Amino acid sequence: MEVTAWTSLHSAINAQQGRHPISRASLRRIAAFARPHRRGLTLFLLLSVVGALLAVATPLLASRIVDAIVQGGAGGADGAGTGGGDTGHITRLALLIAVIAVAEAALGLLTRKLSSTLGEGLILDLRTAVFDHVQRMPVAFFTRTRTGALVSRLNNDVIGAQRAFSNTLSGVVANTVTLLLTLAVMLGISWQITLLALVLLPVFVLPARRMGARMAGMQREASTLNAAMGTQMTERFSAPGATLVKLFGRPADESAEFAARAARVRDIGIRTAMAQSAFITALTLVSALALALVYGLGGYYAVRGSLEAGSVVALALLLTRLYAPLTALAGARVEVMSAMVSFERVFEILDLEPLIAQKPHARTLPDGPVSVEFDGVSFGYPSADKVSLASLEEVATLDTRGGTEVLHEVSFRAEPGQMVALVGSSGAGKSTIAQLLPRLYDADAGAVRLGGVDVRDLTADSIRDTLGMVTQDGHLFHESVRSNLLLARPGADEEEIWEALRRSRLDGLVASLPDGLDTVVGERGYRLSGGERQRLTIARLLLARQRVVILDEATAHLDSTSEAAVQEALAEALAGRTAVVIAHRLSTVQAADLILVVEDGRIVERGTHTELLAAAGRYEELYRTQFAGAGGRAPGGAVAPSGA
């Protein structure tokens, strides 16, 4: 049964795909998602067959009732009998029709529940597979992809694919079986009338082939337009996006642009609805004309005595059971086409291979202090065609530029417990170096090692457990303070959470919030100030207790008072840990064990603060420029491990 259903589905799709047939590979992939539900599918298909048999039984019973009425009436007119036996027979047939009607109704509900359960279950699997796959994509994928387009794949396209199981598959199976049974019975009653009724069949088939390709094109256009509209809403409704629009004062232009996109979505929706309605209406009209033909020709044969009156009624009722499945199958082909377009768009995401993958036999780091080492590392950001899709970026073709080296043979080593600072001009490559440590990207040449092990040989969990990072933006989720902190260590208890907040000098603020730890911080943490957000991310780092810490401008958004407090907390947190610190303010890294000056992707100088000042090179130039207004004296303190 399952094979028959998928064969029917494949035939229906290819019948209207025209020059763009759906590949058997796509159907096999869909079947792979359906395979865990094969028991439910088998039961569903069996019930569909039973329902088709019941649908054909009713017209045949109606035929027998009509014949009994005609015969009883004739017998009564001739005075041959009272017709009491015929009355009982008619009553029994009527009751049987009623029982079949009730059975059909109950079976329909059960079949619908099964189809919905299967459809929703399959879509759960598909949606989870897409979400998990996107989670494995590299950071480069997210820097290029429009969020709205990606969310549209996970919502609109997955829901569109759902129709293939919850609606269309049910119709294809039941209507195919009904069509074959009905045709066989009609041919048995009168093959002449049946063949004449089928002369209008090409009117069903030919428009279906044309309409399929047209509907597919409109479906693709609608998906693209919905994604574009969703992207604009996602970007403009975020706190930074809304702020940008308000600052530059273009709400009217934004409204006009959104209205134009929404109007295009409206227009394609109207065109799709009207095209499908016109198609179905035309097929319904043809069905009515065929019914008139059966009554006319069947009545003629009945009057001449070559056909029973009940047979004419049976043919008429069966014809509705014949053309109704044909009409439904023609519409199902359009629905299948739309669903298959959605499947293809989802499979596009699943077919995009992550550039960074965990090896089958990846290792974990043993307990104890961990060193950091860069050994001849060179790196260039990947081109768009390696990490993205044109449809997700909403461009005609992907940018093939990329691969140009931005880091050139970078080598250094931080011993366990040491702090290495990266300084230099903006865009020199400092943050890129930091991103290679947690495998946000992979080096093109050389090796990045944690504890002497290449990060490409470590499990993702081991890297996350070993290494923590605080970035410039201090990103937070639209969740509670507690949830944002527990992201670092889900098993932390209340006391440990408050200790991390105390060490980040944030316990007083959180205690004063309306709901304390359960206060929602808003999207990206925008209900907090910049300094508060940054201190909360530092508290998250303190709670995680990782052995290697990366601070990428961790104090960039803090005022002098907050910076001094956080510097103390960081000094305590970094004690005994290996640290890589990126800083523009040289006052924060003077006590580092090793300072690396990075320019144009190369380490041009290295040494301690005193050694680099004495060398009178690039570091001394940066230092003199930065502290010129302070008489060459660095204000503030420096981040340093205890006892450094």
Side-chain angles (χ1 to χ4, degrees), residues 67 186 189-197 292-313 315:
D67 286 340
M186 288 182 67
I189 295 174
S190 174
W191 63 268
Q192 299 95 332
I193 295 177
T194 303
L195 292 180
L196 285 173
L293 175 63
V294 169
Y295 276 126
L297 188 58
Y300 172 77
Y301 283 137
V303 170
R304 292 187 58 184
S306 58
L307 193 66
E308 297 289 339
S311 297
V312 176
V313 173
L315 284 170

Side-chain angles (χ1 to χ4, degrees), residues 277-321:
S277 295
F279 178 55
I280 298 301
T281 300
L283 298 184
T284 304
L285 176 60
V286 173
S287 177
L289 295 175
L291 186 61
L293 175 63
V294 169
Y295 276 126
L297 188 58
Y300 172 77
Y301 283 137
V303 170
R304 292 187 58 184
S306 58
L307 193 66
E308 297 289 339
S311 297
V312 176
V313 173
L315 284 170
L317 292 175
L318 287 169
L319 186 65
T320 61
R321 305 277 180 159

